[in-house]
């Protein structure tokens, strides 16, 4: 098996993993939006609803890339429907989950873009760059929203 064939198979499998990641994010963000409580609800509900909508758009683009490669998306429902208990979480806990999901997606798309570039697939690399840019923005936003550790005042 040539290195290019193996790299292409890795790219397709990585894209299939991205389908699972985006479907899971869509479901998780929807739950998180519904379970926001208190004054934070005013800010976090639209944020999480927006992230869920972004996941739908990412899913469509990943499916398009798979079709460009002559492949198809398969959803791993066991992965996708994993239980996420967000009902009793604080806003900080919800934001930490969101940051972890966004960082995982960012790392995945970084790897997939590198594979597309290695395979000299510039159109696919550009599409993955679009996903990367959006994930970087989301990571940045989640980091900004997470509270910093409060200084110890020694009282």
């Amino acid at each position: 098996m040539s290195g290019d064939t193996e790299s292409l198979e890795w790219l397709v499998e990585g894209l299939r993993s991205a389908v699972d990641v985006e479907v899971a994010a869509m479901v998780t963000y929807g739950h998180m939006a519904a379970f926001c409580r208190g004054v934070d609800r005013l800010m976090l509900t639209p944020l999480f609803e927006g992230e869920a909508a972004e996941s739908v758009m990412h899913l469509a683009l990943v499916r398009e890339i798979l079709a460009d490669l002559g492949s198809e998306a398969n959803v791993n429902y066991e992965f996708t429907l994993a239980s996420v208990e967000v009902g009793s979480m604080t806003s900080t806990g919800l934001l930490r989950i969101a940051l972890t999901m966004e960082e995982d997606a960012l790392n995945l798309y970084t790897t997939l873009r590198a594979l597309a570039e290695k395979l000299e697939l510039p159109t696919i690399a550009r599409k993955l760059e679009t996903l990367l840019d959006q994930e970087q923005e989301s990571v940045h936003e989640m980091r900004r929203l997470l509270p910093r550790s409060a200084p110890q005042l020694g009282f």
Side-chain angles (χ1 to χ4, degrees):
M1 178 183 292
S2 76
D4 281 353
T5 302
E6 188 173 301
S7 293
L8 184 59
E9 288 176 5
W10 288 344
L11 178 60
V12 168
E13 287 308 309
L15 289 163
R16 287 181 176 156
S17 293
V19 167
D20 293 335
V21 166
E22 295 298 350
V23 170
M26 180 182 60
V27 170
T28 302
Y29 279 126
H31 286 320
M32 289 165 68
F35 285 103
C36 289
R37 298 289 178 254
V39 71
D40 292 338
R41 180 172 174 74
L42 297 173
M43 179 188 64
L44 294 182
T45 296
L47 172 75
F48 293 147
E49 287 172 346
E51 291 295 333
E54 183 178 280
S55 292
V56 172
M57 291 185 300
H58 288 186
L59 183 58
L61 187 53
V62 170
R63 286 183 187 141
E64 180 181 309
I65 294 169
L66 281 164
D68 290 347
L69 294 170
S71 190
E72 58 188 44
N74 301 316
V75 177
N76 178 354
Y77 289 102
E78 211 170 285
F79 173 85
T80 302
L81 298 176
S83 174
V84 179
E85 296 190 24
V86 298
S88 61
M89 288 193 153
T90 64
S91 296
T92 300
L94 294 173
L95 288 168
R96 288 191 194 288
I97 289 172
L99 177 61
T100 298
M101 287 190 311
E102 297 300 336
E103 288 174 334
D104 289 349
L106 179 63
N107 291 333
L108 177 60
Y109 290 130
T110 299
T111 300
L112 295 176
R113 183 196 56 193
L115 274 171
E117 289 172 347
K118 177 183 175 186
L119 291 164
E120 299 179 5
L121 299 168
T123 302
I124 290 171
R126 279 192 302 276
K127 289 177 181 180
L128 289 165
E129 185 70 33
T130 299
L131 294 169
L132 255 173
D133 290 344
Q134 292 171 355
E135 296 298 351
Q136 285 173 333
E137 283 296 317
S138 293
V139 165
H140 177 71
E141 185 65 19
M142 296 308 162
R143 285 182 180 157
R144 284 182 20 171
L145 290 170
L146 275 167
R148 297 176 191 219
S149 297
Q152 298 298 318
L153 301 176
F155 290 103

